[in-house]
Amino acid sequence: MTDLDSFIARLPKAELHLHIEGSLEPELMFALAKRNGVSIPYTSVEDVRAAYAFSNLQDFLDIYYAGASVLVTEADFHDLAMAYFDRAAADGVIHAEIMFDPQTHTDRGVAFDTVIRGLLSAMAGAETKHGMTCALIMCFLRHLSEQAAFETLAMAEPWLGTIAAVGLDSSEVGHPPSKFARVYAAARAKGLKLVAHAGEEGPPEYVHEALDLLHVDRIDHGNRALEDPVLVERLAREGMTLTVCPLSNLKLCVVGDLADHPIDRMLAQGLKATVNSDDPAYFGGYVADNYRAIAAARGLSQDVLATLARNSFTGSFLPPETIARHLASIDAYLAGS
Ligand code: HPA
Ligand code: ZN
């Protein structure tokens, strides 16, 4: 491990953009397929990894939804999330806000309660085992209808006390934020925080819509906002957090080369960018891998990496006094390193 690698691994950080279904490693996919008698179209772990070559978001989504079919019981969701928390803790993650896609499961007959009970028990486990705090973000699949999103929000009703926010993911182009304006208004009325994927493949206009029509607290990705200087100025002025995912951007061809990744340009323009792993099992790295890859590709200093980590706390849904404590722990870490 280089000095920078160990600096990154021990830097206190939050992860704000992580799809728990995207942390399903091929080894666990095989184990769960066997446990549940589900057939998958792969003969080996190597075979699965070889299938992970994507040329766009949809290529990935097709494989990601197929992989999720091995998740059936509450124990499966627990094991999936616990494996993520163990891995994240090793990467210096002390707070994780994880997304899940209930419709991927309810649409194939797995009960909402089964999914959320498994995730919540793993979150409790992460707190006791690793001292990590966690929050849950329930995502709507944007390729499905507004009606289906409303039905999902209704299923979540008994669990609202355990859900921090709603999010919007899946196929972006052709499914603008405006499609979900009424669902987001309903979620907001229930006291939920709001995030949405915007500007990953979709145009800057979708980022405008996420702000103006969904009233989001955070933008997931947001890369294409950089094409619109007025939007950049607004995001900076409003202190809007962007949950950027460098290895995801590379694997889904949002950037051609990490050497051209805009993360430091975002910071230079006053944007509150953070570093996250998105779907680590599919994109080749957890959060520290993302910090390491982007630090190497863009020659980022320890100070810049610490700014990215600070942004992960200021952009989180933690209470202000907890955020202040975590920022102080970054200062203490820098002073001691
Ligand atoms: N974009 C959109 N939907 C997703 C993603 C993503 O990066 N990961 C999982 N679902
Ligand atoms: Zn994502």
Side-chain angles (χ1 to χ4, degrees):
M1 232 199 235
T2 68
D3 285 352
L4 194 64
D5 289 350
S6 101
F7 172 82
I8 287 169
R10 293 181 299 113
L11 177 65
K13 58 182 82 64
E15 176 143 60
L16 304 180
H17 186 158
L18 177 281
H19 302 264
I20 200 65
E21 293 90 347
S23 71
L24 178 61
E25 291 287 347
E27 290 79 4
L28 185 58
M29 192 189 293
F30 269 90
L32 296 183
K34 191 160 169 222
R35 187 153 102 184
N36 295 318
V38 174
S39 71
I40 49 174
Y42 307 107
T43 54
S44 66
V45 163
E46 295 69 41
D47 195 21
V48 184
R49 289 222 161 83
Y52 293 174
F54 316 111
S55 41
N56 55 40
L57 174 58
Q58 194 61 50
D59 264 8
F60 154 70
L61 289 171
D62 292 343
I63 287 186
Y64 161 83
Y65 293 132
S69 67
V70 303
L71 298 162
V72 180
T73 67
E74 184 179 324
D76 299 342
F77 288 94
H78 171 95
D79 293 352
L80 170 72
M82 208 59 227
Y84 164 71
F85 291 129
D86 288 346
R87 195 60 189 66
D91 275 2
V93 173
I94 58 174
H95 175 69
E97 301 189 353
I98 66 167
M99 304 189 209
F100 73 115
D101 289 340
Q103 289 158 296
T104 299
H105 315 300
T106 54
D107 283 2
R108 56 190 174 85
V110 176
F112 186 99
D113 289 16
T114 300
V115 178
I116 199 162
R117 280 183 207 281
L119 297 179
L120 290 172
S121 77
M123 288 163 67
E127 306 220 19
T128 48
K129 187 172 173 189
H130 299 299
M132 191 189 288
T133 53
C134 312
L136 206 47
I137 302 174
M138 179 178 82
C139 287
F140 304 116
L141 298 182
R142 68 201 304 157
H143 68 277
L144 300 179
S145 67
E146 179 198 42
Q147 174 64 24
F150 269 117
E151 286 164 13
T152 303
L153 188 58
M155 277 186 230
E157 191 71 42
W159 299 97
L160 287 184
T162 67
I163 297 173
V166 297
L168 189 61
D169 63 2
S170 192
S171 321
E172 186 181 5
V173 174
H175 302 285
S178 53
K179 179 175 168 185
F180 297 94
R182 292 186 293 196
V183 184
Y184 269 63
R188 192 150 58 107
K190 292 178 191 300
L192 293 164
K193 299 278 192 188
L194 311 170
V195 303
H197 284 54
E200 181 184 21
E201 286 190 347
E205 187 51 42
Y206 285 19
V207 180
H208 280 289
E209 283 193 11
L211 298 173
D212 293 331
L213 305 180
L214 303 188
H215 305 287
V216 293
D217 297 290
R218 212 153 70 196
I219 296 280
D220 293 315
H221 295 297
N223 299 51
R224 291 197 57 195
L226 295 180
E227 296 168 24
D228 180 342
V230 173
L231 177 58
V232 169
E233 203 273 321
R234 175 181 181 187
L235 291 166
R237 192 177 58 245
E238 294 181 3
M240 182 62 56
T241 297
L242 304 184
T243 64
V244 180
C245 306
L247 288 173
S248 165
N249 292 161
L250 181 65
K251 290 290 156 66
L252 299 186
C253 306
V254 168
V255 297
D257 193 320
L258 268 194
D260 303 323
H261 195 279
I263 193 101
D264 42 316
R265 234 181 336 127
M266 289 171 161
L267 295 176
Q269 294 184 80
L271 297 174
K272 294 237 176 293
T274 61
V275 169
N276 307 271
S277 68
D278 207 3
D279 301 281
Y282 292 87
F283 300 149
Y286 287 77
V287 72
D289 300 310
N290 274 270
Y291 274 82
R292 279 193 287 273
I294 202 66
R298 297 293 306 163
L300 305 184
S301 66
Q302 291 192 356
D303 276 352
V304 170
L305 297 170
T307 297
L308 292 163
R310 279 195 194 92
N311 290 348
S312 74
F313 292 113
T314 54
S316 75
F317 296 134
L318 286 167
E321 57 280 9
T322 310
I323 292 174
R325 187 157 46 77
H326 290 326
L327 295 179
S329 79
I330 292 181
D331 290 342
Y333 178 64
L334 292 177
S337 71

